[in-house]
Amino acid sequence: MNNNSDVLIIGGGVIGCATAYYLAKQGVNVTVLEKKQIGEGGSSRNGGGVRQSGRDPRELPLAMAGIKNLWPTLSEELGMDVEYYKKGNLRLAKTAGHIKILEGLTERAVAKGLDVKMIDAQEVKAICPYLSDEVIGASWCDTDGHANPMLTTLAYYKNARRLGVRFITGENVVEIKKIRGKARQVITEQNIYEAEQIILAAGYESRAIANTVGIDIPMNRVLLEALATEPQGKMFEQMLGTAEADFYGHQSTHGSFVFGGSSGFDAYTSNFDTPINNSQTAACICRGIIGYFPILADAKIVRTWAGWIDECADHVPVISFVEEVPGLILACAFTGHGFGISPMVGTLLAEMIVDGKPSLDLYELRYDRFKTKL
Amino acid sequence: MNKIIDRSIDLGPYWPQEDDDLIICRCEEVTKGEIRKAVHEGMVTLTEIRRYLRTGMGLCQGQTCAKLVKNIVARELKIAPNELESAVSRAPARPVEMRVLANEVITGGENHE
């Protein structure tokens, strides 16, 4: 098989798979290169939030457009249940300090046109009666929700593959090579691939690859952990978070609760070869959960897991053409909140390839927005 | 997993087998036929199969079915089972109540005797 295609996508995560799907739907010839396996990074190891509340104003338009136009019909579109629930997001508070944090977030989101509001303890209880009496209020966005990130990633993969996208896993990309001033070749440890356009969507690994054409996106690799309980009877369908990020998560279709969180030491205990659990972290997340859900104290944890996020200096993604490197598009630095916007990001990247520009203004997510502090 | 795999390779059509109804993952009730079909749908690592079908995600965490799943996937891919990397195991080794896992006494220096 020859190694030429119209578009090469580096990274087989949810962004790469979604983009490949939307491109293939328009008849574009796509190859996806993945170092390990499909959804190996944050794509299959996240809390599943499909939310708008608590987002930076710069990425909020993407989240809102996706929840309005793409998520509600995604299961039908992909012919597979991605377990999407649009039942709201409660961000919980126990103290006056928490309330203050949430009021700030709410105010900024409302200014951007999001329907989110502060509610009191009684209203919280009416939405989710299982919460501790210590909860004194919350922010509430009723169009938020959650989905299954593993299934969503694989559903995009499966459908892209069905439409003829060539996926090659086990390919470790070492370099992007310019030919006559234009990004043209992708060099892996063992092969060379060529395409008119290259999309770099490899999470944290994107940094080293972009470096080979002189572009540096300031991001770090940060470890997060999650845990799952044995299945419980159906309790509620909202997505949950707290003002201090003690934990976040939801009850899945399967009945398990899936919660994510951190110990606070994660930046110092990470193993940088394999995402390994730390014995302190699940215990810490459990204390956080029981503090809000005393009713879950007897639920058994069946599994914990760890994964990395690509944490950007200013905590929003880079989705951008690169002026110095025509033919290259960056889609990285999602900072742990890429899953909820992935269908929209895939759509926009496909538009950038096919129409030459995205239908939403991505100016604030440019690759060259980073400035020193003074 | 570090082998280069072109996912476009055609495995041929999926033919049903007589024992496709056999339950392989008992915790999550996943059948042999579902596992075989998943391979034809592009899931070619044990982790991808797990994320797609939930094999080994239940109470026993794959202690019953992991080897069986590996053999079925290998046969479908026409490779030897040891060419497939096992799915990762994670703590806890057996299910633990949240209150037990959370039960770490946090003391300051003043409590030391």
Side-chain angles (χ1 to χ4, degrees), chain A residues 37-39 44-45 157-158 161 166-169 254 275 277 283 286-287 297-301 303-304, chain B residues 1 4-8 28 42 45 48 50-52 54 61 90-91 95-99 101-102 104:
Chain A
Q37 56 190 337
I38 303 303
S44 56
R45 300 168 199 254
Y157 159 66
K158 177 172 133 177
R161 192 176 159 273
R166 188 176 175 211
F167 281 84
I168 302 171
T169 54
H254 169 264
N277 296 109
C286 283
R287 285 191 286 278
D298 287 320
K300 285 179 176 159
I301 302 297
R303 182 176 162 83
T304 64
Chain B
M1 206 160 70
I4 294 171
I5 308 173
D6 188 333
R7 304 293 184 104
S8 312
E28 299 292 332
T45 72
E48 286 167 11
R50 177 161 76 183
R51 290 171 183 162
Y52 191 61
R54 300 194 60 86
Q61 286 290 295
R90 302 275 193 186
V96 177
E97 286 86 357
M98 226 184 263
R99 74 161 84 240
L101 204 52
E104 179 183 272

Side-chain angles (χ1 to χ4, degrees), chain A residues 191-217:
Chain A
N191 291 304
I192 297 176
Y193 294 86
E194 282 202 28
E196 287 295 316
Q197 311 253 15
I198 296 164
I199 298 175
L200 180 52
Y204 174 75
E205 326 273 330
S206 305
R207 185 173 189 181
I209 298 169
N211 281 176
T212 64
V213 282
I215 304 298
D216 194 39
I217 303 301

Side-chain angles (χ1 to χ4, degrees), chain A residues 13-222:
Chain A
V14 70
I15 301 291
C17 292
T19 307
Y21 169 74
Y22 291 116
L23 281 169
K25 232 176 107 177
Q26 297 189 63
V28 180
N29 173 262
V30 184
T31 300
V32 178
L33 301 179
E34 161 60 43
K35 182 169 147 186
K36 289 195 168 156
Q37 56 190 337
I38 303 303
E40 180 67 11
S43 301
S44 56
R45 300 168 199 254
N46 68 77
V50 180
R51 60 178 174 78
Q52 307 149 102
S53 56
R55 282 201 186 258
D56 188 288
R58 287 171 289 175
E59 62 180 8
L60 190 54
L62 276 66
M64 289 170 71
I67 286 170
K68 190 164 170 246
N69 303 320
L70 296 170
W71 277 107
T73 53
L74 196 59
S75 291
E76 286 77 26
E77 164 106 27
L78 299 177
M80 199 174 130
D81 186 6
V82 297
E83 302 181 352
Y84 174 54
Y85 292 82
K86 194 177 181 177
K87 297 286 181 174
N89 184 344
L90 282 171
R91 197 165 284 243
L92 305 164
K94 281 183 180 177
T95 68
H98 293 167
I99 295 279
K100 215 166 164 202
I101 295 172
L102 298 179
E103 280 174 348
L105 280 171
T106 303
E107 229 167 79
R108 287 193 290 276
V110 168
K112 274 275 175 179
L114 179 66
D115 185 11
V116 53
K117 59 181 181 188
M118 294 298 294
I119 58 173
D120 62 22
Q122 215 178 345
E123 291 167 289
V124 176
K125 279 275 188 184
I127 293 165
C128 186
Y130 303 96
L131 282 160
S132 155
D133 291 333
E134 285 179 42
V135 174
I136 58 168
S139 71
W140 171 241
C141 175
D142 68 357
T143 51
D144 278 355
H146 56 82
N148 184 322
M150 301 181 294
L151 294 180
T152 307
T153 306
L154 292 172
Y156 272 125
Y157 159 66
K158 177 172 133 177
N159 282 280
R161 192 176 159 273
R162 188 176 50 81
L163 294 175
V165 172
R166 188 176 175 211
F167 281 84
I168 302 171
T169 54
E171 281 286 20
N172 190 15
V173 172
V174 290
E175 190 187 352
I176 293 173
K177 208 165 179 179
K178 288 205 246 182
I179 289 180
R180 284 193 286 276
K182 205 174 162 298
R184 173 78 204 179
Q185 284 186 337
V186 171
I187 320 277
T188 71
E189 275 170 4
Q190 300 186 41
N191 291 304
I192 297 176
Y193 294 86
E194 282 202 28
E196 287 295 316
Q197 311 253 15
I198 296 164
I199 298 175
L200 180 52
Y204 174 75
E205 326 273 330
S206 305
R207 185 173 189 181
I209 298 169
N211 281 176
T212 64
V213 282
I215 304 298
D216 194 39
I217 303 301
M219 53 176 162
N220 276 324
R221 178 181 254 185
V222 175

